[in-house]
Amino acid sequence: MKIMISVGEASGDLHGASVANALKLIQPDVQLVGMGGQAMRDAGVEIIYDIADLGVIGIVEVIKNLRRLFRLRDFLSDYMERERPDVLVVIDYPGFNVKLAKVARQKGIPVVSYISPSAWAWGKGRAKEVAQIVERVAAIFPFEADVYREAGANVTFVGHPLLDIVKPSMERDEALQHFAALPDHYHVLLMPGSRTQEITSLLPDMLAAGERIVEQVPNCQFFLPVASTISREMLQTIIDKYKVPVILTSGNNYDLMNICDLAIASSGTATLETSLMKVPTVIVYRVVTLTYLLGKLLVKIPDIGLPNIIAGRRILPELLQSEVTPGNIASHAIALLTDQTVREQALTDLAEVKEKLGETGAVNRVAQVIMEVAQNGHV
């Protein structure tokens, strides 16, 4: 049996790796191939296209890269025509993966959509489009399952995979030593994203905010986990321009989160990870102006941060576009670090988010869905 997996960025690579490991537990001799990164490669997936230089975000940015994305789609189309996988699993990266799923369906290859396009944000039209293409939607949110089911999709609510993945592997004291973290300091996590575009847009403001934070809270240490898709040298070049000592880390991200008191993070999966690790987070988001304006016209929900969307209200601060300034970031960060009332409310709200995500075991349920579709087919 051959299963093809398609992801487009670092977070999807981690989810793809978890799915790959779960599939091998069900059927050890399964052949796994796909588009991914180092995490999927380490999980035994044969990588036919490495995503290290792929990540682009926003409508305008995608348009600029259309020629490259079309070439990639054609390459993967040729691969599917030649190798005939039993199923294509598309994970996140919706702009590209929806198009790839259409290609697979035209070839008679069934598709499972996991971490599906956010139809609950973009409107029911997106859900209907996906419902007509894929054999099964593995939904990670209860409200997502409802939207896709109403659109006519065959849906299985699997729960959120982060409930299985997000957990420390070290005791706190061991982690403090591992990351050279001073026990009597506040520990601040910087997560500007896994794409070069996000780094160059957000990291300078995060570091400038860090300078302001240490003026008022001197006993702070800053940590920045290096995504597999990002050059360590590029990060260090930016960091060296600011008077904030930042420790670059590699691996054991959840152990790092477990010792952190605060995160400043780009909107996305990382903000849900920090929430599950009970780390209050300042959520920041910036894309080119045209992309943002188009998004405002299309997106149907008031908040963009996943913890806020799940909670159904603004529980963590969000700074968008021109609001992303060193002063604004620092103001929210200092309050979450030092104002006990603000901090305790944030921690209470984060516990509610975790409860709403359901039960553990999502990755195993996804693997079962994939195997079922691979064995039964139908397009």
Side-chain angles (χ1 to χ4, degrees), residues 27-49:
Q27 186 169 324
D29 63 347
V30 66
Q31 184 179 357
L32 301 170
V33 300
M35 179 171 81
Q38 192 58 48
M40 282 171 54
R41 185 178 285 111
D42 291 344
V45 180
E46 177 190 344
I47 300 299
I48 58 175
Y49 184 90

Side-chain angles (χ1 to χ4, degrees), residues 63-79:
I63 291 172
K64 290 179 180 178
N65 286 273
L66 274 178
R67 184 175 298 178
R68 182 160 59 105
L69 293 171
F70 281 140
R71 285 199 302 267
L72 175 55
R73 185 191 62 184
D74 291 343
F75 166 74
L76 296 174
S77 173
D78 291 344
Y79 180 89

